Amino acid sequence: MELPDFPLLDVQKARIMIRSEWERLSDNYQLSEHVINVQKLLDCCKTPINLKRTIEADNQRDFYPIWKSPSRRLRMVDLLYQPLKELPPVNANEQAKETSSQLQWATKLRSVISENRFTSLESSTNMLSQHAPLQHHGPDTKVELSEIISQFSTSRDPVRSAYGQDLKRSLDALQRKCKNKFDDTSQSIFRVDTRELNEAITTSRTEIQAEFEYIRESMTAGHKWLKMGGLLPVFTPLTLLETLRRGARAKSRATIQAHILKYAESLVKLQQLLRIQGAHRQADNIQLGNERCNVAHTAWKPEDHIDWLLLEIDFNLIIREDQLQVAQAMIASPSTISNFVLQMNMGQGKSSVIIPMVATALAKEENLVRVVVPRSLLLQAAQLLSSRLGGLINRRIKHIPFSRKSRTDIESIKAYRGLHRDLHKRRGVLLALPEHLLSFRLSGLQELSNGHSLESTYMIKLQAWFARKARDILDECDHMLAVKTQLIYPSGAQSPVDGHPTRWKLVQGLLRLAKTHINHLRRDYPKGVEVIDRVPGAFPTVYFIHQHIKDTFITRLTDRILAGDGGLLPIQECSSDELRFAADLLRHAQFARSTAGEVAQ
């Protein structure tokens, strides 16, 4: 179509620009016409048959069943449950030889690492000066210490008496240690038989590889076509050890589990040989001595604590006897011991070994394990537990904070409850802060005092469930159980405390007056009172050596207060009887029954 020319319009350029829009409108028009024609044909094809009856008839018709596999591919857990014909059972004779096997391994370690002991005059002199302080200072020191401790142990105060008994046991232990050090001044140097060590490592690796191949061939013997098609699960030492987890063990047969357990124990022994080799190359005499004394699995059975065995393999260590004793004491039934505190020196594996051991042993169907740490150690504890329990052991670690600002409506508390229930069901470990646990406990009571009966009932019931199910493992308990870490939730309208604001001035005035009289006592009784000055402006630390000096101090201080020093009492407004009552209270901290009646009137 030809368009007339316009002097101010480029017709050819305008046609090119609007051509695409014309084509779109034309295509849409043709499509709409086609849809209208198709709908007319469909309207002509309506069927009079009742479609509902046809569907019911099809549902009643018999079809050949189609088998659907629960899993797309075969898993390692499925292989554990297969009947195994080639693996011989671990008989009772082999189980009876377990003790002798441990003895043979201990003998093997002593043959690989030999101990040379020597005694020198110089070492004896050092032992006497460094490790026998009581012998160095003579018997008078022991007598003097015993006399000081006896004053505490014979006290009527139960706290002082218990403290004295602890000091006495500590003194006895120190005397025994000094005697042993004095008697045995020899030192040890450990030497490694390199040839025998290399032979032991080579033999151990060969046996482990042969055991691994034997288990793999036996487990996959009935799956020839899957093996040829590359459809078998990945079979590596890691995937094999993962079958020892709690969930997989429930589906495995005892025979295959015993052989995999034997394979895992062989790995522990190989790791120990490799550690000995590394310590020998670094000339680490202390590490060699520790490896020579540490024989794996002498005081506990791996089949009873498989998670501990996986922990040893995953982190290349052997659980020592002292670590085992502490862990077993913490795992003890709460019916016999409610709460207890255990102490170990730094660097003995409290957080890295003992806490993961206890957590895996206690995380069962009936327990919710909570590892409580200070806020300053939260990140470190989270990283440590994740690495220790998140590898071969594969336990979930959760941190569920709760503060006073957290929402306490029903939906939020149900979500909070669901997280704990899920962790309890999966045998996980909860990493918590002490303030989070106390906040939830106090929030339930706070909701009750605010009149929110529904929320408070739900929270108090959940707290009761925590009290029944939770087993708390406290790290650095001396810090967390201190008074300064306890939470106090104020409630109600703010009101001034009794004696405000003079009560703060009263304490300062009393301390100022006491400091003056302490200086006088220090001058009058130089051997009866000990004063340790602190930083400027701080009150000194005072020790009264004798009781009568303490009584003298209280008498002098009371007399000056009743005389009006420091302005602590309004003596100008007090009668003589009131001053006499105040004197009895300050001197004896109590009233007679008749005096109490007069003061009440």
Side-chain angles (χ1 to χ4, degrees), residues 18 92 95 97 125 207 226 248 258 263 267 319 514 518-519 526 530 543-544 546 560 578 583 601:
I18 65 175
Q95 296 177 355
K97 294 179 181 178
T125 305
E207 293 177 353
L226 293 178
Y263 171 76
L267 286 177
I319 297 175
I518 287 174
N519 292 330
E530 182 178 355
Y543 296 96
F544 294 103
H546 303 290
R560 299 318 305 167
E578 292 174 344
Q601 293 177 359

Side-chain angles (χ1 to χ4, degrees), residues 153-165:
S153 58
T154 57
S155 175
R156 295 182 180 181
D157 187 355
V159 177
R160 290 176 174 267
S161 178
Y163 182 59
Q165 296 296 331

Side-chain angles (χ1 to χ4, degrees), residues 376-445:
S376 58
L377 300 179
L378 178 61
L379 180 59
Q380 176 184 349
Q383 295 173 346
L384 186 63
L385 287 178
S386 298
S387 62
R388 288 294 191 265
L389 303 181
L392 286 175
I393 301 177
N394 194 28
R395 296 294 182 95
R396 289 195 174 190
I397 311 296
K398 282 188 178 182
H399 175 59
I400 309 175
F402 191 94
S403 66
R404 192 177 185 183
K405 298 181 180 179
S406 300
R407 298 177 58 183
T408 56
D409 56 281
I410 293 297
E411 295 300 326
S412 300
I413 299 302
K414 285 185 177 180
Y416 186 77
R417 174 180 177 271
L419 291 173
H420 286 83
R421 290 277 188 174
D422 179 71
L423 190 66
H424 174 249
K425 181 180 179 181
R426 297 175 182 271
R427 302 183 181 91
V429 177
L430 177 66
L431 182 61
L433 297 179
E435 52 263 34
H436 293 167
L437 305 182
L438 294 175
S439 293
F440 183 80
R441 180 185 303 176
L442 296 177
S443 293
L445 301 177

Side-chain angles (χ1 to χ4, degrees), residues 204-438:
S204 179
R205 282 176 170 169
T206 303
E207 293 177 353
I208 289 174
Q209 185 62 29
E211 182 74 16
F212 176 77
E213 295 293 338
Y214 186 56
I215 295 175
R216 180 173 63 177
E217 293 298 328
S218 301
M219 292 176 63
T220 60
H223 304 281
K224 175 182 177 181
W225 297 108
L226 293 178
K227 183 177 181 181
M228 295 177 64
L231 298 177
L232 283 176
V234 178
F235 211 102
T236 63
L238 179 60
T239 57
L240 184 61
L241 292 174
E242 287 176 349
T243 60
L244 291 176
R245 294 172 181 169
R246 184 180 299 272
R249 293 200 305 267
K251 300 180 180 180
S252 63
R253 292 176 177 267
T255 303
I256 186 60
Q257 182 179 345
H259 282 272
I260 299 176
L261 192 62
K262 180 181 176 182
Y263 171 76
E265 294 180 19
S266 301
L267 286 177
V268 173
K269 295 179 180 179
L270 175 61
Q271 288 179 335
Q272 186 174 17
L273 293 174
L274 294 177
R275 288 197 301 270
I276 293 174
Q277 187 182 56
H280 172 60
R281 292 174 178 175
Q282 298 176 0
D284 191 345
N285 191 64
I286 298 178
Q287 179 68 17
L288 290 175
N290 294 335
E291 296 294 344
R292 188 175 186 269
C293 298
N294 294 335
V295 182
H297 314 149
T298 55
W300 59 280
K301 296 182 179 181
E303 57 268 20
D304 296 336
H305 301 281
I306 296 183
D307 289 334
W308 295 359
L309 178 64
L310 296 177
L311 180 66
E312 289 183 330
I313 297 174
D314 207 0
F315 290 93
N316 191 18
L317 55 88
I318 288 181
I319 297 175
R320 301 194 307 270
E321 184 176 358
D322 56 343
Q323 295 172 342
L324 178 65
Q325 292 176 355
V326 174
Q328 289 177 340
M330 297 177 68
I331 300 171
S333 174
S335 60
T336 57
I337 304 176
S338 57
N339 298 315
F340 53 91
V341 177
L342 298 174
Q343 182 178 5
M344 291 186 70
N345 294 329
M346 294 181 60
Q348 297 298 315
K350 297 186 295 295
S351 302
S352 59
V353 179
I354 296 178
I355 289 181
M357 289 174 60
V358 177
T360 55
L362 292 179
K364 301 178 181 179
E365 295 85 354
E366 62 273 12
N367 294 328
L368 171 64
V369 176
R370 301 189 297 191
V371 178
V372 188
V373 298
R375 178 175 292 275
S376 58
L377 300 179
L378 178 61
L379 180 59
Q380 176 184 349
Q383 295 173 346
L384 186 63
L385 287 178
S386 298
S387 62
R388 288 294 191 265
L389 303 181
L392 286 175
I393 301 177
N394 194 28
R395 296 294 182 95
R396 289 195 174 190
I397 311 296
K398 282 188 178 182
H399 175 59
I400 309 175
F402 191 94
S403 66
R404 192 177 185 183
K405 298 181 180 179
S406 300
R407 298 177 58 183
T408 56
D409 56 281
I410 293 297
E411 295 300 326
S412 300
I413 299 302
K414 285 185 177 180
Y416 186 77
R417 174 180 177 271
L419 291 173
H420 286 83
R421 290 277 188 174
D422 179 71
L423 190 66
H424 174 249
K425 181 180 179 181
R426 297 175 182 271
R427 302 183 181 91
V429 177
L430 177 66
L431 182 61
L433 297 179
E435 52 263 34
H436 293 167
L437 305 182
L438 294 175

Side-chain angles (χ1 to χ4, degrees), residues 46-61:
K46 290 183 178 180
T47 175
I49 304 176
N50 191 341
L51 186 60
K52 182 177 180 181
R53 293 183 179 179
T54 304
I55 296 177
E56 293 178 353
D58 291 340
N59 292 336
Q60 296 175 0
R61 189 179 304 175

